[in-house]
Each structure stands twice: as C-alpha cells, then as structure tokens.
Amino acid sequence: MTYYKPKEVDKLLSKNPKYKDKLYCRGFLITTKENFSLAKYPFYDLWRKIDLSNTYHLYVHKDAHIHTYSDENKDFFLIGHAYNPYTMQEREEDILFSLAKEMKKGESAFWNYESELTGVFCLGVIKNEKIMFCTDCTGMQMVFYSYENNSMMISSHSKLIADLCGFEQTKYIKKLISSRFYHYWGTFLPGDISPFAEVTRVVPNFSYVFNPEKGFSFKRFFPCDIIEEVDTTYVDEKLEEIAEIMRNNLSMIAKKWGNRAALSVTGGRDSTATLASAKNVYEKLKFFSYESQPSEAVDAEAAHKICQTLGLTHTIYDISENDSDFEDIEVLRVLMECNAGCIGPNNKNDVRKRAYFNNIDDFDIEVKSWVSELGRGEAQNKYGTLRWPKKPSPGYYRCMWKVIVNPILIVQSNRIFREYLKKYYNKDTSKFLPWMDYFYWEFS
C-alpha cells in the first residue's frame, strides 16, 4: 500500500498537467485560514475562493456546484446538488430560500425541512461567527472536519486537509490497509475516523456546529421521533408513497439536468425500479450499460432488452479489460487513491471505467438507486440470518464492516466502533429505528 505525499503528487501532475483537475475533483474546503496560494498544489488555479463571512473562507473546485443565500444576519450555503421530492423544488436557490424561511421559525423547523431533501450535498448556515452544517441523509457527500492549532477546516477530502496541515496517516491505518482481507467489500474505514488522527468524518443526520471559542459539537436531528413499523394493512399505501417520491425525484432530475442525465441500467431490481420511476420523463433521459468484464455481458443484454421493449434507445459501452488500452491509467489510479485518502488501491476494473468515461461526453450525471441494498433485507441476504440482537455491539459492527483476522487490529477496530456507538447512539436512538437501519444509512 502506498501513501502519496504532496511533493510526489505535485511532481506527478507537473509531468501530466492535463490531469490536475482530477485531484480532489468537485472538492471544497471551508476554513478560517486565508493564506493559501491558489496557484500552487493542490489548487493549481482550478479552485476559486469565496468569503462566506468575515471569518469563514470557502475554496471550491471548478467543477463543484456552490450556491449561497443571505438573509438578515445569516449566510446559507449548499455545495453539491439537492432536491425536495415533497415540494418539487429542484433548484438549490429555492431550497436555500426555503431553509432561510424555516430558520425564522426555529432550528427544529429548519432541520425538519432539511430532512425532506435528497441529493449529494453539504449545506450550512453561518451566524455570529458560528457555522452550522451537515451532509446529505446517507453521507454520499463525504465531509471531514479538523480543528488543530487554532485552524478550523471542513472539507470533502480528508487528504486535502492533511496535505495543507502536514498530517500523517496513523499507524493503525497503515496496518489496517495492508491487512489480508481489508480490500474486500470496498475501501472504507470504521466508525467516524479518517486516515488522520486530527481529522474526523461527519456522520449523516447530525447537525455540526463550530464555535471558535469551543470547537466542534454535534447533535442528532433525524430521527428524533419513533418511526413505527408499517402495519400490513397499509403496506400498499406506503409502497405507493415511496414510488411517488422516486417518480418525483426522477422528474426533477430530468428537469434539472435535461439530456445530460443518464440512467445506469443492469436489468436488476435496483436499476429496474429506477427505470420504472422515470416513466413520465423517458424522452428527457439517456439509458446505458457497460461491459467491463465477461460477467457484465448478461446484465447489459438484459438491460438492452428491457429498454427495447419500452421503446428506449439504450447504449452499451464496451470497456477493455486491459490497462494498456487506456492512456495514463496509472496517473488516474494514483489520483483516485489520493482522493479517497490513500486507504488502499481501487478495484482495477473501477479505475478502467473511470478512465473510459473520462473520454465520453454523452452525459454528465449517472442516475441509479440502491433500493434493495439499504435495509435489513440486504443484511439478511448478505449475512444469512433472520435474527439480530436488539442492541448492536462493537464486535457486530466490526464483523459486518470487514473480515479482520489480526488480533491487534480486532481489538483496535472494536475500540473505534465502541467509541463511535457511544458518541452517536444512546438508549433513545434505538427507539426511533432498528439499529440495522442506522448501520446501512449512516455508516455503510
């Protein structure tokens, strides 16, 4: 496993300048520091600076979407994209206006509205030198924070913070990512940790507040009421409600992105549910599959037949299995690892897909869902059990996260999950939802 230091990455990009925009792509940094050079690593004149207030400065990548709104003595911001399927607002400007309106009623009303949003975003409010912020409902937008040496940073990339502050990966991380089975089930870390002791991951459904005098604090805002299991009498009614929410989302995506949005179709439950949800806007979207290994050919052909039956134009992209067919793929591989914090190499197939689509200009937004993978049903299929303990233990979280066989790593990982559960879950939390739902929505 390799940790790429800033000087190494800078040297690599000096030799391959056309890839500079791939480093920390679509990233952002909110900080109290203001003396960074936008011309040098890691910004390369591809980022711009926005003063959110007298105290907080935002540095944002050229491809990142940033929206701001000021109301009285408050400054609101939203980085990324968001939709409200209940009010049918797909413009971030309208969403920020509604958030400001709800804030006048109180923080509870603000977070109730925020809980209706879907998308990939970080949003926040600045008032009286304090900044309050959150990530989207399942943390699709990774957000990290740090407060060291009187310097506050909030960023989309943990390694960006580390590069600017000179932080080093912990011994635990170095040993973990080199362990035998770590690379299975994706490269992600336990609890709320990052590769750096000074940097912490933001957990979804929590509001975080930075106060220059006290540092960071956080509080759960969803769920804060008991969500009852659906009575069998009302299952069809609830399923229709869920279907309507998905249809609304696809309608807003089509309206917002037009023909620059494409549905990734595999013929499975997830993509077929997304495809069905888009039936009112088929003419505004594109549809595609890819074959990057032999096993994907069956899925692509099934997807093609489904789209043909619906009268939809469907494209199958043939992606080579050979690295040699892609220009500068090793450069992309390094940058993808850096963007993730250097916590292990990406799947070779995933790197080839990224290299392939870097040269495809057919669409900007890939639309897909994981409707069958988020919840207890997926857990039952994955782990082969129908019964779960009433309360989670650190060991349960560790086993569901990774296969760890090194005794020292087992003890250390359990300790991290024990602290994670202690920080974010209390006796009331388990009354709101079963812990399995929290595991998938807020961690996995």
Side-chain angles (χ1 to χ4, degrees):
M1 303 295 178
T2 305
Y3 182 76
Y4 300 99
K5 294 185 177 293
K7 287 185 178 180
E8 296 174 301
V9 183
D10 192 18
K11 184 177 180 180
L12 177 71
L13 290 174
S14 294
K15 294 179 180 178
N16 302 275
K18 67 179 181 178
Y19 296 106
K20 286 182 176 180
D21 66 331
K22 303 301 179 188
L23 179 65
Y24 306 134
C25 56
R26 294 187 297 279
F28 64 86
L29 170 71
I30 302 171
T31 181
T32 51
K33 294 187 71 173
E34 55 180 333
N35 58 345
F36 297 121
S37 170
L38 290 177
K40 299 179 180 179
Y41 177 94
F43 302 114
Y44 296 123
D45 283 328
L46 297 170
W47 291 52
R48 59 193 171 106
K49 180 186 175 186
I50 300 171
D51 289 327
L52 293 174
S53 69
N54 293 329
T55 304
Y56 300 103
H57 313 284
L58 170 64
Y59 296 83
V60 60
H61 186 274
K62 70 179 184 65
D63 294 330
H65 295 273
I66 169 71
H67 305 271
T68 60
Y69 176 78
S70 295
D71 181 47
E72 296 176 351
N73 61 342
K74 303 181 190 68
D75 297 306
F76 298 80
F77 63 87
L78 192 155
I79 307 167
H81 58 269
Y83 315 86
N84 188 325
Y86 296 92
T87 63
M88 293 301 288
Q89 292 170 300
E90 88 281 348
R91 295 178 70 250
E92 286 77 17
E93 294 87 348
D94 296 334
I95 288 171
L96 285 177
F97 178 80
S98 295
L99 283 166
K101 184 178 178 181
E102 294 301 314
M103 180 62 89
K104 291 179 181 178
K105 302 175 186 176
E107 283 193 20
S108 252
F110 176 91
W111 291 116
N112 284 340
Y113 177 87
E114 193 283 339
S115 297
E116 296 179 354
L117 301 179
T118 184
V120 182
F121 61 84
C122 170
L123 71 79
V125 188
I126 299 172
K127 178 186 177 183
N128 298 334
E129 306 304 313
K130 297 179 183 178
I131 182 169
M132 179 172 67
F133 64 98
C134 71
T135 181
D136 57 72
C137 61
T138 60
M140 290 290 287
Q141 174 60 68
M142 296 290 281
V143 181
F144 300 90
Y145 64 94
S146 175
Y147 187 45
E148 294 290 326
N149 302 318
N150 294 319
S151 177
M152 184 283 286
M153 295 194 180
I154 301 167
S155 180
S156 51
H157 295 84
S158 62
K159 192 174 183 298
L160 173 60
I161 297 176
D163 287 348
L164 295 171
C165 297
F167 299 151
E168 298 286 342
Q169 280 192 335
T170 64
K171 292 181 180 179
Y172 166 78
I173 293 296
K174 293 177 181 178
K175 190 158 188 167
L176 173 69
I177 62 180
S178 300
S179 61
R180 184 177 178 185
F181 299 112
Y182 167 76
H183 64 284
Y184 290 110
W185 295 355
T187 52
F188 65 109
L189 303 179
D192 64 348
I193 70 169
S194 82
F196 314 96
E198 302 88 349
V199 184
T200 306
R201 178 179 68 87
V202 167
V203 175
N205 302 319
F206 281 81
S207 64
Y208 288 73
V209 174
F210 174 75
N211 183 333
E213 297 178 359
K214 299 180 180 179
F216 285 95
S217 61
F218 51 84
K219 182 181 179 181
R220 176 176 289 280
F221 66 82
F222 180 88
C224 291
D225 296 305
I226 295 175
I227 299 176
E228 299 288 351
E229 294 279 353
V230 178
D231 186 281
T232 54
T233 310
Y234 301 102
V235 167
D236 289 343
E237 179 184 320
K238 289 299 179 183
L239 286 175
E240 178 54 38
E241 185 180 340
I242 293 168
E244 182 180 3
I245 291 171
M246 291 187 68
R247 285 194 297 269
N248 288 348
N249 277 324
L250 268 296
S251 295
M252 288 187 292
I253 286 171
K255 184 177 179 181
K256 186 180 186 69
W257 302 105
N259 63 3
R260 299 304 296 173
L263 266 63
S264 173
V265 191
T266 65
R269 286 178 296 179
D270 298 328
S271 68
T272 304
T274 309
L275 188 62
S277 301
K279 65 180 181 179
N280 295 331
V281 288
Y282 280 155
E283 73 282 358
K284 297 181 180 180
L285 300 168
K286 296 180 179 179
F287 308 89
F288 78 98
S289 301
Y290 49 75
E291 294 181 19
S292 61
Q293 51 192 10
S295 61
E296 292 173 343
V298 176
D299 290 344
E301 185 59 32
H304 194 69
K305 288 180 179 179
I306 291 171
C307 288
Q308 274 188 325
T309 301
L310 295 171
L312 305 175
T313 300
H314 175 260
T315 303
I316 298 178
Y317 297 102
D318 187 11
I319 302 175
S320 173
E321 293 183 78
N322 300 313
D323 281 0
S324 58
D325 291 334
F326 299 95
E327 181 185 12
D328 302 325
I329 193 167
E330 289 303 323
V331 177
L332 285 173
R333 181 169 283 117
V334 170
L335 295 180
M336 287 176 67
E337 286 190 43
C338 287
N339 290 348
C342 289
I343 54 174
N346 291 275
N347 182 294
K348 291 183 178 181
N349 196 38
D350 288 339
V351 180
R352 289 192 289 267
K353 290 176 190 174
R354 184 64 60 88
Y356 180 87
F357 282 108
N358 275 339
N359 298 312
I360 298 294
D361 190 40
D362 293 349
F363 55 88
D364 298 323
I365 301 296
E366 177 186 3
V367 184
K368 62 195 302 183
S369 79
W370 290 269
V371 290
S372 76
E373 296 179 10
L374 292 175
R376 282 157 279 163
E378 169 69 8
Q380 289 168 190
N381 290 335
K382 184 174 181 179
Y383 301 106
T385 181
L386 295 176
R387 300 183 64 184
W388 301 93
K390 291 184 177 180
K391 294 182 179 180
S393 67
Y396 244 92
Y397 260 64
R398 172 183 52 78
C399 290
M400 294 173 67
W401 160 63
K402 292 282 182 187
V403 175
I404 303 292
V405 295
N406 182 299
I408 296 175
L409 285 177
I410 288 175
V411 172
Q412 291 175 326
S413 300
N414 281 357
R415 186 180 301 127
I416 290 168
F417 276 119
R418 184 176 295 108
E419 181 62 24
Y420 173 79
L421 290 169
K422 182 180 178 182
K423 283 170 68 174
Y424 301 105
Y425 303 100
N426 56 39
K427 61 180 181 180
D428 291 326
T429 311
S430 59
K431 295 178 183 177
F432 305 146
L433 281 174
W435 69 269
M436 286 297 303
D437 293 341
Y438 291 113
F439 176 86
Y440 273 92
W441 296 345
E442 298 183 349
F443 170 70
S444 179

